[in-house]
Amino acid sequence: MYLFSMKSFFRIGLVFIFSWIALSSSAQLQVAASRPDANYEAGEMMYFEITSPTWGPVDYVIRYDVKMPPLASGTVVVNPNTPTKIPFVMEEPGSVLCSVSKNGEFATGGAIFSRFDLEPIEEEPADFDNFWNGVKAELAAVPMNPVLTFYDSTSLSETYRINLGNINNRRVYGFLSIPKGIPPPYPAILTLPPFGNAANNAPPQPIISEWGGAISLSISIHNSEPDVVDPNSYLPNNIADRDGIYYKQAITGAIRAIDYIFSRSDFNGTDLGVAGISQGGGLALMTAGIDHRVKSLAQTVSALCGHSGHRYDRAAGLPLYILDSRGTYGNISHEDSTLVASKYYDGIYFAKRFHGPALSFISYADTISPASTILTAINQLDEKGIIMHSIRLGHDNPMGFWDMRFEFWRKTFPAMDTNPFPWTLHTTGYDADAGNDIFISTNGTANLSATVTYNGAPLNGLSAKWMVVDGPGKVSFSSPTSYSTNATFSQSGTYTLRFVATDTPNLNTEWEFFTIYDFVKVTVN
C-alpha cells in the first residue's frame, strides 16, 4: 500500500510539473506562421501571428537570416492571448525568420516559400571534382598508421581511443566502439562533430554499437585527443584560399576514418553511413558527396550550406565566410576570393554527388542553419529520403531524434537489426518507393505508382504530389496528387520525377511533420 501511494504521489507530481511547463510555455511571447506547416508559395500572402499573455507593443523584424538587412519591420500592439497578424509576401523561393521582442522577451518563428524550387545561388566551380580528387591523392600519400588504445568496456561494447595519419602533419583523433555478443562482420557508422573546440566535443558513441550492432567511429576535426582542448582549433584558416580553409583537413580526416573502417576485417565491406549535427551534419553531407563508399546520410540542422547567400543579402549557414571577409578585411578583392574559395566547401555542391538514402532534420526557426540553405542541399539529392520538419524548434535535435536515426539505419542496413541490446526495437520507420525506372516510346504514357510504408505497413491516404525535377520537355500528370498517376511527355529524353508524401501526425501538438520522398526516371525514346 505504501509503495502504491508513493507511486501515485510521484505520478501526480509529474502531471503537475508537465502541466506547469505546458502552461508556462503557452504564457510566453510567441510568433509563428499562421499556417500550421509554415509552407507557402512564392508570391502568396502569408501572416506571422504574435501572441503574448500581456497587452503592449511588440517590435518585429523579418529577414532571410539574423545577419541580413530587414525585409520588413515595425511595431504592433498585442492584446492578451489574442493573435496579432503581420502580413508578408515573399516573391521568390526561400525562407525567412520573424523575430519579435517585448519588454526583454524574445521569440523567433520561420516560414518557407516554394521549397521545391530552391536552387543554388551560384554555379559550382568548374574544377570542383578535380580539386577534391587532388586532395584525396594528397591524403593517399600519407600513411594511415592507426594507433589504438583501450578506453572503456561494457557488457555490450568495447571502446578505444584511435588516431590516424592525416595531411599537413596532423592526426585524426577519435573513439572507436565495437559491438560485443554478436558475430562480425558489422556495418559501420561514422559520426562527425558539431562546431566547437571544447573538451569532449566528439565523444564516443557506443550506443550505435550497442543498439545498432555497428562499428561506431566518432572523430574530432582538431589536432588533439577529443577530450582535450586544442589551442589551435580552427587555425590556420585562410578563407580566401581553397587550400587554406580549415575544413580541408576535416574532410580528409573523415575520408581517412573511412579508409580505416574499410581496413578492418570485422567490417562487412559495404554498409557505411555518416551522421552529424550542425557542423557535423554539414561535414557528413560533404563526406557523403566526396566519398562514394558512403551508403547512407543522416544530417541534422546542417551548417556549411549556402555560403554564397550573404554576397546577395540572402541566407547563409555557418561559418559566415562572406561576412568574415567583410568584417576582417573589408575589401572587395578579398571578398571575391573568399566567395570562390568557399564554394569548394559548400554542402549544396556535395549533395548532388551523393547517391544514397538520406535522413534530414531541419528547423524553420533555426537562426544558425537557415532552413532554405539545408533545403537547397536536399533538393540536390537524387535518392529516396525522409525529412523531419520542426516548425518552432531552434538549432537543436528534435524529439525522437535517436529513434528515427536507428529506424533509418535498420531500414537502410538490415544488418543493424541484429545488435547486443536485448530490448532494442525493430521498427524501420518511414519509407517511400516511386517504382522502378521506366522506358516508354515517344507519345507513350508512363504509368506511375508509388507506395509509402511505416514500419513496413502501408501508409495510405497521405497528402502526396508528383513533380518534375529535370527533363528536356514538359510533363503532364493525370492525377498529380495521387499515389498512382499517368504521365505524358512533350518530347523525347530522360526525365527525373519526384514523388513526395507528407505525414502530419503531430503538427498541431509538437509542431512537426514529415516528408517522405523517392525518385523515378522515365526515358522517352
Side-chain angles (χ1 to χ4, degrees):
M1 184 67 180
Y2 174 77
L3 287 175
F4 175 79
S5 299
M6 289 300 293
K7 288 180 180 178
S8 299
F9 178 80
F10 180 69
R11 288 171 182 157
I12 292 170
L14 283 179
V15 169
F16 174 79
I17 290 170
F18 287 124
S19 298
W20 179 83
I21 291 172
L23 288 171
S24 297
S25 64
S26 64
Q28 296 174 347
L29 178 67
Q30 296 182 0
V31 60
S34 59
R35 187 172 291 170
D37 69 358
N39 269 256
Y40 302 87
E41 293 302 317
E44 179 183 3
M45 174 67 75
M46 62 85 60
Y47 296 90
F48 282 107
E49 293 184 342
I50 303 172
T51 56
S52 172
T54 59
W55 178 92
V58 176
D59 297 324
Y60 71 88
V61 58
I62 300 173
R63 302 183 246 227
Y64 288 115
D65 74 29
V66 294
K67 299 292 186 180
M68 289 295 95
L71 300 170
S73 61
T75 301
V76 295
V77 175
V78 298
N79 291 311
N81 302 314
T82 302
T84 298
K85 293 186 175 183
I86 301 172
F88 181 74
V89 177
M90 179 95 145
E91 297 293 350
E92 60 186 27
S95 63
V96 295
L97 296 170
C98 180
S99 301
V100 298
S101 60
K102 178 177 181 287
N103 297 331
E105 278 192 276
F106 301 90
T108 299
I112 305 291
F113 298 84
S114 299
R115 61 185 171 93
F116 293 110
D117 296 329
L118 287 164
E119 293 292 338
I121 292 176
E122 288 215 348
E123 295 292 326
E124 67 177 44
D127 63 344
F128 185 93
D129 290 321
N130 287 340
F131 170 72
W132 282 107
N133 286 337
V135 172
K136 288 191 279 188
E138 181 183 353
L139 174 65
V142 178
M144 182 160 55
N145 187 23
V147 177
L148 276 73
T149 55
F150 176 78
Y151 178 75
D152 191 25
S153 181
T154 72
S155 61
L156 304 178
S157 68
E158 193 115 319
T159 299
Y160 302 85
R161 292 182 183 273
I162 184 171
N163 66 79
L164 309 162
N166 197 3
I167 63 172
N168 299 334
N169 295 314
R170 296 170 66 92
R171 303 287 291 178
V172 183
Y173 292 90
F175 291 103
L176 175 75
S177 296
I178 306 295
K180 282 184 178 180
I182 57 173
Y186 310 117
I189 302 295
L190 171 64
T191 303
L192 285 306
F195 181 84
N197 66 345
N200 301 307
N201 193 48
Q205 301 284 349
I207 189 174
I208 295 175
S209 296
E210 297 175 358
W211 290 18
I215 297 168
S216 173
L217 181 51
S218 172
I219 63 170
S220 169
I221 65 170
H222 304 311
N223 199 34
S224 66
E225 293 286 352
D227 50 358
V228 175
V229 174
D230 179 3
N232 296 313
S233 59
Y234 298 104
L235 295 173
N237 186 32
N238 183 355
I239 62 174
D241 177 5
R242 65 183 185 180
D243 280 304
I245 289 180
Y246 189 81
Y247 286 113
K248 176 183 176 181
Q249 53 216 11
I251 296 300
T252 57
I255 296 171
R256 179 44 47 93
I258 294 172
D259 291 341
Y260 173 74
I261 289 171
F262 271 78
S263 75
R264 291 186 62 94
S265 61
D266 56 356
F267 172 55
N268 68 16
T270 56
D271 296 346
L272 171 68
V274 291
I277 301 168
S278 188
Q279 171 190 269
L283 291 173
L285 175 61
M286 295 162 72
T287 303
I290 205 69
D291 195 319
H292 294 165
R293 294 173 292 181
V294 176
K295 302 304 181 188
S296 80
L297 166 67
Q299 57 171 342
T300 304
V301 293
S302 296
L304 290 160
C305 292
H307 301 314
S308 302
H310 283 165
R311 178 64 175 260
Y312 305 97
D313 288 340
R314 299 296 190 270
L318 287 176
L320 310 179
Y321 286 124
I322 298 299
L323 297 188
D324 189 5
S325 172
R326 290 176 183 174
T328 304
Y329 299 93
N331 67 77
I332 192 62
S333 176
H334 189 275
E335 183 176 319
D336 287 344
S337 297
T338 300
L339 178 67
V340 172
S342 65
K343 290 183 185 180
Y344 294 90
Y345 298 87
D346 196 318
I348 290 172
Y349 304 127
F350 289 84
K352 65 183 289 187
R353 291 166 167 81
F354 175 59
H355 308 292
L359 172 66
S360 305
F361 299 88
I362 62 171
S363 173
Y364 291 13
D366 193 335
T367 60
I368 304 298
S369 298
S372 63
T373 63
I374 305 172
L375 286 167
T376 301
I378 292 173
N379 282 350
Q380 311 310 305
L381 300 173
D382 62 3
E383 293 288 343
K384 65 172 57 184
I386 306 160
I387 308 172
M388 180 178 182
H389 307 249
S390 295
I391 308 303
R392 301 190 182 186
L393 192 67
H395 191 69
D396 202 356
N397 299 332
M399 292 182 65
F401 163 76
W402 275 108
D403 288 344
M404 283 195 69
R405 293 218 299 188
F406 278 107
E407 287 176 344
F408 172 71
W409 287 330
R410 285 192 290 266
K411 179 67 178 179
T412 307
F413 303 141
M416 290 186 70
D417 201 33
T418 301
N419 53 72
F421 192 64
W423 301 285
T424 303
L425 296 175
H426 298 282
T427 53
T428 53
Y430 289 105
D431 186 50
D433 188 345
N436 296 325
D437 292 345
I438 298 172
F439 296 84
I440 63 172
S441 60
T442 303
N443 299 322
T445 298
N447 300 313
L448 306 172
S449 183
T451 59
V452 183
T453 58
Y454 186 74
N455 295 333
L459 198 57
N460 298 318
L462 298 183
S463 172
K465 186 175 183 180
W466 288 91
M467 61 193 75
V468 182
V469 177
D470 58 47
K474 295 182 179 180
V475 182
S476 297
F477 298 101
S478 62
S479 184
T481 58
S482 298
Y483 283 29
S484 298
T485 185
N486 295 327
T488 56
F489 305 84
S490 64
Q491 64 185 76
S492 298
T494 298
Y495 297 78
T496 302
L497 310 179
R498 180 195 287 121
F499 170 79
V500 181
T502 302
D503 195 15
T504 59
N506 305 315
L507 183 56
N508 294 316
T509 55
E510 302 294 337
W511 304 291
E512 64 189 27
F513 68 96
F514 307 89
T515 50
I516 313 100
Y517 60 89
D518 193 19
F519 300 84
V520 62
K521 288 187 181 294
V522 179
T523 300
V524 182
N525 188 355

